Structure formats: structure tokens, C-alpha cells
Amino acid sequence: MKKIIIFDTTLRDGEQSPGASLDIRQKVEVAHQLERLNVDVIEAGFPIASKADFEAVKLIAGDIKKPVICALARAKKEDIDAAYKSIKAAKKKRIHVFLATSKIHMKYKLRKAKEEILKQAVEAVKYARRKVEDVEFSPEDASRTEVDFLVQVVEAVIDAGATTVNIPDTVGYATPENFGRLIAYLMKEVDNIDKAVISAHCHDDLGMATANSLSAVKNGARQVECTINGIGERAGSAPLEEVVMAIKTRSDFYEVSTSVKIKELYKTSRLVSHLMGIKVQPNKAIIGKNAFSHESGIHQDGLIKERSTYEIMRPEDVGFSKSRLVLGRHSGRHAFKVRLKELGFNLGKKDAETAFGNFMRLANKKKEIYDEDLETIVEGQISEIPRVWKFRSMHITSETGSFPVAEVELESKGESLKKKASGDGPVDACYKAIDKIARIKGRLIDYSLQSVSRGKDALGEVTVKVKFKEREIIGKGSSTDILEASAKAYINAINKLIYISKRK
Ligand code: KIV
Ligand code: ZN
């Protein structure tokens, strides 16, 4: 299968997203992750644009070994000089020169005639070729350029030494059929087309960046320019994860492949989203939170029976942990029971039916039902948690300037056990002493205290959420002494854990 070169421009076009700017250290961090993702080319920045851009490209060029490091330049000597200076240290380097060729851009932005543009493009490519062997040229706004002029420009820059010619749909105006036809036309009409790689660079203004890029591939393009999470100017660019996974999943149709390590896709997406502060929409293809989540009962039932009924890709392959069955009011009994089993509850037919009824009542009030909700439902059905450990007494000493010490006494099977521990506070000391007695290690995640009656001698009810290894358990305890209520809540959580583990 022919290989498609994946050119990542997250650090250049992607960084042009409003609010997406990164500092130098963050850019280097993203570049390292892109290297792990195994992209072929990293467009690291636009060095003439600012000192920070220049420095970032320079650092990346020195640090990153495997991919080609590319720097962007207008068709001007000073831009090309800055680009070259920034990537000089790179093992593999490329200069990417661009100049607009559409009527609108030439007339209003550049105020130049076709002949001047052609000459400038050729001279810039020749100048860049004197510095590096790998030169890319982009006729900006190519999709709105007169086709015959585009043919003329592409042919001339290849003659001048361009090794890659990128065809940008700068304003996201193209449609899949017409962009594919444009690529096919260039492949046919440009005499020296076999001397360069043809590339696609599509923006998503009409939501067609991925489709346009793939159509270009189908018609002969051998490089796709894209960004992680599809970030980029305005509506963004073709998302790398979509292009790569479409090529992989539908290799039967596209008959090409990429070298991207798809297992790194999710991690890369999270890193870029986190550093740029741009959230990924939940229903985003491939890397959105819901991309492998199923809520409808019919889908969940199908998926449990055979995954391929409702999944065309495996979540693990792109770095997700696994498919998620979201329990909500559209879910059915099958998914509900499977989830309970995964949580360690093996309920009999009658108990399972009651639990499902309680679950449905809750699901009608609450959008998503989490594992803790299910545990609360099932625990609520357990009439009495056996009190393996019982509270007997406690003694706490707390002095300003020193750590509090708690001595707790518990009873189990008629036997009494006492232990001492110190902690950051009296509750912490008390929980540590209980851990010692019960030979368990709990981590307090949540603690709340509520008064359940009035007056000075009000009864206080403490609710705790404790994490024991992977399991989170809610415990409750009450007393007029809040430290005693705290100890009882923690002991209740331990007793629940013992009970649930035994049922398992
Ligand atoms: O969208 C565009 O035309 C560009 C060029 C610089 C390639 O980003
Ligand atoms: Zn662009």
C-alpha cells in the first residue's frame, strides 16, 4: 500500500486558533508527543512572526530527531532566512514557502499581477532550495485559484525545485467532489507532477476538511496536512485523528496507509487540549468522550453480544481504556446487570428486578447514573450490613503545635482491639488508628457533617466517601460527639467493603 505522509501543523496553523497560544516549553512538550505519535513532518512554527516563534522552532529542531522539522515562510528572502536559521540544527529539515494565487488575494491583499506572483514564487523556491533540499510550496487559496493559472504555478515551482506542492483550501470553500477533481486535474495536467509530492491542506469552514482531505488522497495526493483535535484558523483544519483513522478503518477503499502510532492518538489529543485550554466536544469523532459510549438499550445489548454490531473501531486501539456503556433512562436490563456484575454484585432474579426498578426511578431524575449511584441502590437494598467491626471507645489528645494522637478501641467477634496513631488532624489520626486495627488502607475522598437535630446536644451525622484500592464506598455514622460520628462513618464504610467483597 502507498504511504500517506502525515504533516502535522498543530504548532503552526493549530496555534493560530484564537486563544490557543503555547509558551516555548509547552510547544516542545507537544513536539515530543508528536514524535511519539510518529507523524512524518512537524510544522513547528512561523519563525519570522515573532522571537518566541523563532526560539520555539529552534529548540524543537535541536530536540526532535525522527520527523522532518518544517518552518513556514512567506515568499520573501527575510522569511526564508529566518526559517532556515531556526531549523538549521534539525536532522531532517524543510522550508515551507507560501504565496497566494487566487484572484481575490492577488488583487486585494497582494496587489500584484499573475506574472509577478509567478516570478516571486519561483524565485522564493529557488532561494529556499539553496538552503535546504526539502522545499514545500503552497499556492495559498488554491481552491479559489483559476485552475489554469494553478497548473502554471505548480509546474513552475516544481521546475524551480519544490519537492512538495501543497494545495490549500485556505478558506474551507471546497467540497469533496470538487476538491478531488482539482487534485485529479493537477495530476493529469502538470507535466512534471511526478517530481513532487502533492499535498492537501483543508480548512473546516463548511465542516468538510476531513472529507476534502480524503478526496484529495483518493485522487492522488500523497501528503495530508492536519492538526490534533482539528484546531486551526477559524473553524480549524482537518483533524489528524479523523484522517488517520479513516485511512486505517477504510483501507479497503483508500488503499493507502500511514505510519501514525494510533495508540498515541487519545493521549496526544488530551495533551493538546489541556495545554491549549481548548476542550474537545464530547461527540468529537475518534477522541471525544462519547466516541465509544453507548446509551441506547438496543445498542448496549448488541454491543455486549458482539462488539462489531455498533463499533467500527476498537477504543483500545486509539488509546481509550474501553467502550463505555452509559447507564441512563435509555438503558435496558442487559447492560444494567452486566455493570452490576462488573461491580461485584451477583443479585438473584428478584433482587435484580427490584434494583432495576430503583435504577429506572433514579434515571428518570438524573441524566447519567454513575457506579457510585448503582452501589448506593444495591447497598440500600441490603437490609443490614453485618457489623464485623464495632466502635467501642476513643481517646484523642490534641495540643497547639503538635500532631493530634488518637487511641481507638474496636470490637470484632467479641474481641476488643486498641491502636494509637497520629495524624494531620483528629479525624485523620482516628482513621489511621482504625486502619491499623482493621489492617486496611483507606483514603478519605469526601467528608461531610450535618446536624440532624437542634440544640447544643444535636445529633451530628457524618458521611464519608473512602477509597479502598479501586473501590469507593460511602459510609455513614451518627453521634452527639462529632469525632465519634466520624469514626462510626469510617467503620461503616469498612463493614460495607467487607460485605461487598464477600458477596463477590
Ligand atoms: O491555510 C493556508 O492556506 C495555510 C498556508 C500557509 C498553507 O495555512
Ligand atoms: Zn491553513
Side-chain angles (χ1 to χ4, degrees), residues 183-480:
I183 300 293
Y185 189 77
L186 292 173
M187 297 303 292
K188 190 164 147 268
E189 298 299 324
V190 175
D191 283 344
N192 52 4
I193 200 84
D194 57 316
K195 306 248 170 1
V197 168
I198 296 301
S199 165
H201 176 113
C202 301
H203 280 272
D204 209 28
D205 300 68
L206 292 173
M208 291 192 274
T210 303
N212 289 341
S213 305
L214 292 169
S215 181
V217 166
K218 193 70 189 160
N219 286 283
R222 287 292 165 261
Q223 175 178 284
V224 176
E225 301 199 351
C226 38
T227 60
I228 301 297
N229 300 341
I231 53 164
E233 279 278 356
R234 308 178 308 279
S237 306
L240 181 147
E241 59 279 4
E242 291 182 14
V243 172
V244 166
M245 286 314 288
I247 285 176
K248 180 162 173 63
T249 312
R250 297 306 312 273
S251 60
D252 61 317
F253 180 71
Y254 291 108
E255 297 174 311
V256 291
S257 65
T258 74
S259 301
V260 168
K261 289 203 176 114
I262 58 170
K263 242 199 157 67
E264 294 290 326
L265 282 173
Y266 184 60
K267 204 198 280 175
T268 316
S269 157
R270 300 287 308 158
L271 179 75
V272 169
S273 158
H274 169 70
L275 292 180
M276 290 192 166
I278 297 180
K279 284 212 171 94
V280 172
Q281 77 200 57
N283 58 323
K284 167 82 185 61
I286 321 293
I287 40 85
K289 180 174 154 259
N290 292 347
F292 298 97
S293 296
H294 308 263
E295 174 154 338
S296 123
I298 296 170
H299 288 210
Q300 292 179 340
D301 180 56
L303 201 86
I304 293 165
K305 287 172 177 156
E306 166 56 45
R307 181 215 279 260
S308 59
T309 50
Y310 287 101
E311 270 181 3
I312 57 164
M313 293 167 275
R314 296 178 355 138
E316 306 89 294
D317 289 350
V318 297
F320 264 92
S321 53
K322 57 177 182 156
S323 321
R324 207 164 63 101
L325 299 186
V326 178
L327 291 178
R329 68 191 165 93
H330 300 114
S331 306
R333 279 177 177 74
H334 197 169
F336 175 71
K337 283 185 188 163
V338 167
R339 192 76 200 109
L340 280 190
K341 230 178 180 169
E342 282 169 1
L343 288 173
F345 296 110
N346 268 316
L347 302 188
K349 222 176 171 187
K350 208 166 150 233
D351 282 349
E353 247 340 278
T354 314
F356 186 69
N358 290 333
F359 157 72
M360 270 300 159
R361 265 186 289 284
L362 184 64
N364 277 318
K365 292 190 218 142
K366 205 167 172 262
K367 272 192 183 153
E368 192 176 333
I369 307 293
Y370 299 101
D371 288 350
E372 299 96 275
D373 297 317
L374 289 183
E375 280 175 355
T376 311
I377 287 172
V378 179
E379 283 164 21
Q381 278 178 226
I382 302 166
S383 49
E384 175 93 346
I385 302 278
R387 289 165 70 205
V388 176
W389 293 102
K390 283 185 209 146
F391 176 81
R392 264 209 169 169
S393 67
M394 70 195 294
H395 177 75
I396 296 190
T397 46
S398 181
E399 245 180 84
T400 315
S402 66
F403 288 113
V405 176
E407 186 175 46
V408 181
E409 185 185 2
L410 303 186
E411 186 196 310
S412 181
K413 294 178 191 152
E415 213 188 305
S416 147
L417 284 118
K418 229 185 223 182
K419 288 279 179 209
K420 245 187 202 175
S422 67
D424 293 335
V427 174
D428 184 44
C430 162
Y431 289 180
K432 282 190 172 135
I434 295 173
D435 279 352
K436 276 190 187 173
I437 301 172
R439 291 164 189 254
I440 216 158
K441 185 101 195 78
R443 190 162 63 82
L444 188 66
I445 296 179
D446 215 353
Y447 176 97
S448 70
L449 168 69
Q450 232 189 342
S451 148
V452 285
S453 54
R454 287 165 184 251
K456 270 191 185 165
D457 56 351
L459 198 64
E461 187 176 84
V462 171
T463 306
V464 290
K465 194 193 258 183
V466 190
K467 190 158 187 175
F468 301 100
K469 286 199 179 130
E470 288 313 305
R471 167 154 254 142
E472 285 175 13
I473 305 242
I474 291 167
K476 284 184 197 293
S478 53
S479 169
T480 47

